[in-house]
Amino acid sequence: MKRTMTLNLTEAEMNAVEQMCEQKGLSKTALVRQSLRLYKSVDDRFSRGDRVFVESADKSEKAELMVL
């Protein structure tokens, strides 16, 4: 069962959504769904007490991901 939601965004937020959709070749709905899956995955790890890191492609830099 699918449900509909109205989302109010600032101009800057909508610009970011539109830019990401264009870069990724996704619809706004697909981008939001993908974002929710990613956030859920990260949140599940944080809930278990895990730490999440982002590493540069050449592995020269590593930073811990923090969610506010």
Side-chain angles (χ1 to χ4, degrees):
M1 175 178 156
K2 291 187 179 183
R3 296 170 55 186
T4 302
M5 177 180 78
T6 300
L7 181 63
N8 296 311
L9 301 175
T10 66
E11 184 78 19
E13 292 166 339
M14 183 57 84
N15 289 340
V17 167
E18 290 170 342
Q19 182 181 25
M20 291 178 70
C21 286
E22 188 174 315
Q23 289 172 348
K24 304 291 183 189
L26 297 172
S27 68
K28 290 175 187 159
T29 298
L31 181 75
V32 170
R33 286 180 177 152
Q34 189 177 74
S35 300
L36 287 170
R37 285 192 300 271
L38 175 60
Y39 189 88
K40 177 79 170 98
S41 173
V42 170
D43 190 56
D44 287 347
R45 287 186 171 271
F46 283 141
S47 293
R48 292 194 307 255
D50 293 347
R51 294 166 60 195
V52 178
F53 293 88
V54 177
E55 187 173 68
S56 63
D58 65 2
K59 299 186 179 187
S60 65
E61 295 181 35
K62 187 175 184 179
E64 185 173 358
L65 182 65
M66 305 292 281
V67 176
L68 305 176

